[in-house]
Coordinates of all heavy atoms in Angstrom, one line a residue:
P49 N 122.8 76.4 87.0 CA 121.4 76.4 87.0 C 121.0 75.7 88.3 O 121.7 74.8 88.9 CB 121.1 75.5 85.8 CG 122.4 74.7 85.6 CD 123.5 75.6 86.0
L50 N 119.8 76.1 88.8 CA 119.3 75.5 90.1 C 118.3 74.4 89.8 O 117.8 74.2 88.8 CB 118.7 76.7 90.9 CG 119.6 77.9 91.2 CD1 118.8 78.9 91.9 CD2 120.8 77.5 92.1
T51 N 118.0 73.8 90.9 CA 116.9 72.7 90.8 C 115.6 73.4 90.6 O 115.3 74.5 90.9 CB 116.8 71.9 92.1 OG1 116.6 72.8 93.2 CG2 118.2 71.1 92.3
P52 N 114.6 72.6 90.0 CA 113.2 73.1 89.8 C 112.6 73.5 91.1 O 111.8 74.5 91.1 CB 112.5 72.0 89.0 CG 113.6 71.2 88.4 CD 114.8 71.3 89.3
L53 N 112.8 72.7 92.1 CA 112.2 73.0 93.5 C 112.7 74.3 93.9 O 111.9 75.2 94.4 CB 112.7 71.9 94.4 CG 112.4 72.2 95.9 CD1 110.8 72.3 96.1 CD2 112.9 71.2 96.9
L54 N 114.0 74.7 93.8 CA 114.5 75.9 94.3 C 113.9 77.1 93.4 O 113.6 78.2 93.9 CB 116.0 75.9 94.3 CG 116.7 77.1 95.0 CD1 116.1 77.3 96.3 CD2 118.1 76.9 95.1
Y55 N 114.0 76.9 92.1 CA 113.4 78.0 91.2 C 111.9 78.3 91.7 O 111.5 79.4 91.8 CB 113.4 77.6 89.8 CG 114.7 77.9 89.1 CD1 115.4 76.8 88.4 CD2 115.3 79.1 89.1 CE1 116.6 77.0 87.9 CE2 116.5 79.3 88.5 CZ 117.2 78.3 87.9 OH 118.4 78.6 87.3
T56 N 111.1 77.3 92.0 CA 109.8 77.5 92.4 C 109.7 78.1 93.7 O 108.8 79.1 93.9 CB 109.1 76.1 92.4 OG1 109.2 75.5 91.2 CG2 107.6 76.3 92.8
L57 N 110.5 77.8 94.6 CA 110.6 78.4 95.9 C 110.9 79.9 95.9 O 110.3 80.8 96.5 CB 111.5 77.7 96.9 CG 111.0 76.3 97.4 CD1 112.1 75.7 98.1 CD2 109.7 76.4 98.2
L58 N 111.9 80.1 95.1 CA 112.4 81.6 94.9 C 111.2 82.4 94.2 O 111.1 83.6 94.5 CB 113.6 81.6 94.0 CG 114.9 81.0 94.7 CD1 116.0 80.9 93.8 CD2 115.3 81.9 95.9
F59 N 110.5 81.8 93.3 CA 109.4 82.5 92.7 C 108.3 82.9 93.8 O 107.8 84.0 93.8 CB 108.7 81.6 91.6 CG 107.3 82.1 91.2 CD1 107.2 83.2 90.5 CD2 106.2 81.4 91.6 CE1 105.9 83.6 90.1 CE2 105.0 81.8 91.3 CZ 104.8 82.9 90.5
L60 N 108.0 81.9 94.6 CA 107.1 82.2 95.7 C 107.6 83.3 96.7 O 106.8 84.1 97.1 CB 106.8 80.9 96.5 CG 106.1 79.8 95.7 CD1 106.1 78.5 96.6 CD2 104.7 80.2 95.4
H61 N 108.9 83.2 97.0 CA 109.4 84.3 97.8 C 109.3 85.6 97.2 O 109.0 86.6 97.8 CB 110.9 83.9 98.1 CG 111.4 84.7 99.3 ND1 112.7 84.6 99.7 CD2 110.8 85.5 100.2 CE1 112.9 85.4 100.8 NE2 111.8 86.0 101.1
A62 N 109.7 85.7 95.8 CA 109.6 87.0 95.2 C 108.2 87.5 95.1 O 107.9 88.7 95.2 CB 110.1 86.8 93.8
T63 N 107.2 86.6 95.0 CA 105.8 87.0 95.0 C 105.4 87.5 96.3 O 104.7 88.5 96.4 CB 104.9 85.8 94.6 OG1 105.3 85.3 93.3 CG2 103.5 86.1 94.6
I64 N 105.8 86.9 97.4 CA 105.5 87.4 98.8 C 106.0 88.8 98.9 O 105.3 89.7 99.5 CB 106.1 86.4 99.8 CG1 105.3 85.2 99.8 CG2 106.0 87.1 101.2 CD1 106.0 84.1 100.7
L65 N 107.3 89.0 98.4 CA 107.8 90.4 98.5 C 107.0 91.4 97.7 O 106.8 92.5 98.1 CB 109.3 90.3 98.1 CG 110.3 89.6 98.9 CD1 111.7 89.4 98.2 CD2 110.5 90.2 100.3
A66 N 106.7 91.1 96.5 CA 106.0 91.9 95.7 C 104.6 92.3 96.2 O 104.2 93.5 96.1 CB 105.8 91.3 94.1
V67 N 103.9 91.4 96.7 CA 102.6 91.6 97.4 C 102.7 92.5 98.6 O 102.1 93.5 98.8 CB 101.9 90.3 97.7 CG1 100.7 90.6 98.6 CG2 101.5 89.5 96.5
G68 N 103.8 92.2 99.4 CA 104.1 93.0 100.5 C 104.5 94.4 100.2 O 104.1 95.4 100.9
G69 N 105.2 94.5 99.1 CA 105.6 95.9 98.7 C 104.4 96.8 98.2 O 104.3 97.9 98.4
H70 N 103.4 96.0 97.5 CA 102.3 96.8 96.9 C 101.5 97.4 98.1 O 101.0 98.5 98.0 CB 101.5 95.8 96.0 CG 100.3 96.5 95.4 ND1 100.5 97.3 94.3 CD2 99.0 96.4 95.7 CE1 99.3 97.7 94.0 NE2 98.3 97.2 94.8
Y71 N 101.1 96.6 99.0 CA 100.2 97.0 100.2 C 100.8 97.5 101.3 O 100.2 98.2 102.1 CB 99.3 95.8 100.5 CG 98.4 95.2 99.5 CD1 98.6 94.0 98.9 CD2 97.3 96.0 99.1 CE1 97.8 93.5 97.9 CE2 96.4 95.5 98.2 CZ 96.6 94.2 97.5 OH 95.7 93.7 96.6
T72 N 102.1 97.2 101.5 CA 102.9 97.2 102.8 C 102.5 95.9 103.5 O 101.2 95.5 103.5 CB 102.7 98.4 103.7 OG1 101.5 98.4 104.4 CG2 102.9 99.8 102.9
Y73 N 103.3 95.3 104.3 CA 103.1 94.2 105.0 C 101.9 94.2 106.0 O 101.2 93.3 106.2 CB 104.3 93.6 105.7 CG 105.3 92.9 104.7 CD1 106.0 93.6 103.8 CD2 105.4 91.5 104.6 CE1 106.9 93.0 103.0 CE2 106.2 90.9 103.8 CZ 107.0 91.6 102.9 OH 107.8 90.9 102.1
A74 N 101.8 95.4 106.5 CA 100.7 95.5 107.6 C 99.3 95.7 107.1 O 98.3 95.6 107.8 CB 101.1 96.7 108.5
E75 N 99.2 95.8 105.7 CA 97.9 96.1 105.1 C 97.5 95.2 104.0 O 96.6 95.4 103.2 CB 97.9 97.5 104.5 CG 98.1 98.6 105.5 CD 97.0 98.6 106.6 OE1 95.9 98.2 106.3 OE2 97.2 99.2 107.7
V76 N 98.2 94.1 103.9 CA 97.8 93.0 102.8 C 96.5 92.5 103.2 O 96.2 92.1 104.3 CB 98.9 91.9 102.8 CG1 98.4 90.8 101.9 CG2 100.3 92.4 102.4
P77 N 95.6 92.6 102.2 CA 94.2 92.1 102.5 C 94.0 90.7 103.1 O 93.2 90.5 104.0 CB 93.5 92.2 101.1 CG 94.3 93.3 100.4 CD 95.7 93.1 100.9
L78 N 94.8 89.8 102.6 CA 94.7 88.4 103.1 C 95.0 88.4 104.5 O 94.4 87.7 105.3 CB 95.7 87.5 102.3 CG 95.8 86.1 102.8 CD1 94.4 85.4 102.7 CD2 96.8 85.3 102.0
G79 N 96.1 89.2 104.9 CA 96.5 89.2 106.4 C 95.3 89.8 107.2 O 95.1 89.4 108.4
N80 N 94.7 90.9 106.7 CA 93.6 91.5 107.4 C 92.5 90.5 107.5 O 91.8 90.5 108.6 CB 93.1 92.8 106.6 CG 94.1 94.0 106.8 OD1 94.8 94.0 107.8 ND2 94.1 94.8 105.8
W81 N 92.2 89.8 106.5 CA 91.1 88.8 106.5 C 91.4 87.7 107.6 O 90.5 87.4 108.4 CB 90.9 88.1 105.2 CG 89.8 87.1 105.2 CD1 88.4 87.3 105.1 CD2 90.0 85.7 105.3 NE1 87.7 86.2 105.1 CE2 88.7 85.1 105.3 CE3 91.1 84.9 105.5 CZ2 88.5 83.7 105.4 CZ3 90.8 83.5 105.6 CH2 89.6 83.0 105.6
V82 N 92.6 87.2 107.7 CA 92.9 86.2 108.7 C 92.8 86.9 110.0 O 92.3 86.2 111.0 CB 94.3 85.7 108.4 CG1 94.8 84.8 109.6 CG2 94.3 84.8 107.1
R83 N 93.3 88.0 110.2 CA 93.2 88.8 111.5 C 91.8 88.9 112.0 O 91.5 88.5 113.1 CB 93.9 90.2 111.3 CG 93.8 91.1 112.6 CD 94.0 92.5 112.2 NE 92.9 93.0 111.4 CZ 93.0 94.0 110.6 NH1 94.1 94.8 110.6 NH2 91.9 94.4 109.9
D84 N 90.9 89.3 111.1 CA 89.5 89.5 111.5 C 88.8 88.1 111.8 O 88.0 88.0 112.7 CB 88.8 90.3 110.4 CG 89.3 91.6 110.2 OD1 89.9 92.1 111.2 OD2 89.0 92.3 109.2
A85 N 89.1 87.1 110.9 CA 88.5 85.9 111.0 C 88.9 85.1 112.2 O 88.1 84.4 112.9 CB 88.8 85.0 109.8
L86 N 90.1 85.3 112.7 CA 90.6 84.6 113.9 C 90.7 85.5 115.1 O 91.2 85.1 116.2 CB 92.0 84.0 113.6 CG 92.1 83.0 112.5 CD1 93.5 82.5 112.3 CD2 91.2 81.9 112.7
D87 N 90.2 86.7 115.0 CA 90.2 87.7 116.1 C 91.6 88.0 116.6 O 91.9 87.9 117.8 CB 89.3 87.3 117.2 CG 88.9 88.4 118.1 OD1 89.0 89.6 117.7 OD2 88.7 88.2 119.3
L88 N 92.5 88.2 115.6 CA 93.9 88.4 116.1 C 94.2 89.9 116.3 O 93.4 90.7 115.9 CB 94.9 87.9 115.0 CG 94.8 86.4 114.6 CD1 95.7 86.1 113.4 CD2 95.1 85.5 115.8
A89 N 95.3 90.1 117.0 CA 95.5 91.6 117.3 C 96.2 92.4 116.2 O 96.2 93.6 116.2 CB 96.5 91.7 118.5
R90 N 96.7 91.7 115.1 CA 97.5 92.3 114.1 C 97.4 91.5 112.8 O 97.0 90.4 112.8 CB 99.0 92.5 114.5 CG 99.7 91.2 114.8 CD 101.1 91.5 115.1 NE 101.8 91.7 113.8 CZ 103.0 92.1 113.7 NH1 103.7 92.5 114.8 NH2 103.6 92.3 112.5
N91 N 97.8 92.2 111.7 CA 98.0 91.6 110.5 C 99.3 90.8 110.5 O 100.4 91.3 110.7 CB 98.0 92.6 109.4 CG 98.1 92.0 107.9 OD1 98.8 91.1 107.7 ND2 97.3 92.6 107.1
H92 N 99.2 89.4 110.2 CA 100.4 88.6 110.4 C 101.0 88.3 109.0 O 101.9 87.3 108.9 CB 100.0 87.3 111.1 CG 100.0 87.5 112.6 ND1 101.0 87.6 113.5 CD2 98.9 87.7 113.4 CE1 100.6 87.8 114.7 NE2 99.4 87.8 114.7
Y93 N 100.6 89.0 108.0 CA 101.4 88.7 106.6 C 102.9 88.9 106.7 O 103.6 88.1 106.1 CB 100.8 89.6 105.6 CG 101.3 89.3 104.2 CD1 100.8 88.4 103.5 CD2 102.4 90.1 103.7 CE1 101.3 88.0 102.2 CE2 103.0 89.8 102.4 CZ 102.3 88.7 101.6 OH 102.8 88.4 100.4
D94 N 103.3 89.8 107.6 CA 104.8 89.9 107.7 C 105.4 88.8 108.3 O 106.6 88.5 108.0 CB 105.1 91.2 108.5 CG 104.8 91.1 110.0 OD1 103.7 90.6 110.3 OD2 105.6 91.6 110.7
R95 N 104.6 88.0 109.2 CA 105.3 86.7 109.7 C 105.4 85.7 108.6 O 106.4 85.0 108.5 CB 104.3 86.2 110.8 CG 104.1 87.1 111.9 CD 105.3 87.2 112.8 NE 105.0 87.9 114.0 CZ 105.7 89.1 114.3 NH1 106.6 89.6 113.6 NH2 105.3 89.8 115.4
L96 N 104.5 85.6 107.6 CA 104.7 84.8 106.5 C 105.9 85.2 105.7 O 106.8 84.4 105.3 CB 103.4 84.8 105.6 CG 103.6 84.2 104.2 CD1 103.7 82.7 104.4 CD2 102.4 84.5 103.3

Side-chain angles (χ1 to χ4, degrees):
L50 303 175
T51 56
L53 172 62
L54 189 50
Y55 278 125
T56 303
L57 289 173
L58 290 170
F59 164 75
L60 292 175
H61 196 184
T63 299
I64 290 170
L65 293 172
V67 172
H70 182 80
Y71 294 108
T72 79
Y73 279 77
E75 298 296 335
V76 172
L78 176 62
N80 286 336
W81 179 81
V82 172
R83 178 198 63 199
D84 296 340
L86 301 180
D87 195 27
L88 302 174
R90 58 172 286 164
N91 184 318
H92 282 281
Y93 184 83
D94 69 321
R95 299 288 184 243
L96 172 64

